[in-house]
Structure formats: structure tokens, C-alpha cells
Amino acid sequence: MRFLHNDDLGKLLLRLCVGTLILLHGISKLMDPTSLNGIAHQLSGMGLPSFVAYGVLIGEIVAPLMAIVGWQARIGGLLMAVNMIVALILVHTSQLWTLNSQGGWTLELQGMFLFGALAIMFLGSGRMAARPD
């Protein structure tokens, strides 16, 4: 059962899972630039400059790639976590304390992304990485 004690493999699986799933959201936004316009509109409604919307590409493309390959994975985890916090504030604040029809937290996907990103930030890449940290 020694194979069950492999922290580096666990870190790799976490990086690949969280990074790939968030990256797919970023690719979707790249394929449909109008989605960035919606984010820019929400930000400007909060008094922030609309160009900040392009930060989502850092949080959903650059940061996940950093985590996936294991280059500056802690920084990638931080950037993904910040991205998720902004998403929660912009889109999901009204759902923070709600449950879905199956009894689960309405924001369980967003929560998994946020806390998975935080885990990457605190754990680092492990040895199975382009540049272990």
C-alpha cells in the first residue's frame, strides 16, 4: 500500500484536474469574445475600468497553464483563486447561501475551483512538474 503515499502524484492530479477544467472556461471565452464584453459591462457597472475584464484570460488561460505544466504553480493557483473570487462577486453573490434541487450547494463547482486553486497555491507543484516549487 506504499503506492497510496505519493504526495507528488496527488499534487500532479490536482494541478491537472483544476487547471484543465478552468482552462476549458478560458478557451470558451476566447472562442466567444462577446462573453468578455458582458464581463466588462459588469465591471464598469461596479465603477471599475472595463479593460479589467481581460484579466479573466490571465485567470482562466495563463494561470491554469502554469498549474498544468507545473511552472510557478503556486502563483498560478493564486491567480486562479483571485479569478474565482471575482467571479463569485460579479455573478454569484446572490447564490452564496443557496442550495440546488438535489440539496447541494448551488456554487459547488465554483467552490471546487476556488478551493482547488487555493490548495495548489499552498501545496505547490510537487516534483512531477516542469519546474518544481
Side-chain angles (χ1 to χ4, degrees):
M1 300 280 273
R2 184 158 170 79
F3 69 92
L4 293 178
H5 297 277
N6 191 333
D7 291 349
D8 293 313
L9 181 57
K11 291 174 184 178
L12 174 65
L13 290 171
L14 178 66
R15 289 186 359 251
L16 292 176
C17 179
V18 173
T20 301
L21 293 174
I22 292 177
L23 179 63
L24 293 173
H25 286 267
I27 291 170
S28 173
K29 286 177 180 71
L30 271 181
M31 303 303 271
D32 179 17
T34 60
S35 63
L36 289 177
N37 294 337
I39 296 168
H41 180 70
Q42 288 176 312
L43 288 167
S44 63
M46 297 178 77
L48 296 169
S50 58
F51 74 85
V52 174
Y54 291 99
V56 75
L57 299 179
I58 294 170
E60 293 186 7
I61 293 180
V62 176
L65 287 173
M66 292 169 71
I68 290 168
V69 300
W71 178 80
Q72 300 292 328
R74 291 178 192 271
I75 294 170
L78 172 64
L79 293 171
M80 289 186 289
V82 168
N83 184 74
M84 290 311 304
I85 290 168
V86 171
L88 287 169
I89 292 168
L90 286 180
V91 183
H92 302 289
T93 304
S94 65
Q95 299 170 310
L96 272 176
W97 308 111
T98 62
L99 301 177
N100 61 29
S101 60
Q102 292 83 35
W105 186 31
T106 304
L107 300 177
E108 57 194 22
L109 177 64
Q110 293 83 356
M112 288 293 288
F113 286 165
L114 171 60
F115 294 111
L118 288 172
I120 292 169
M121 181 183 80
F122 289 119
L123 293 171
S125 63
R127 288 184 290 193
M128 296 178 184
R131 186 173 175 202
D133 56 6

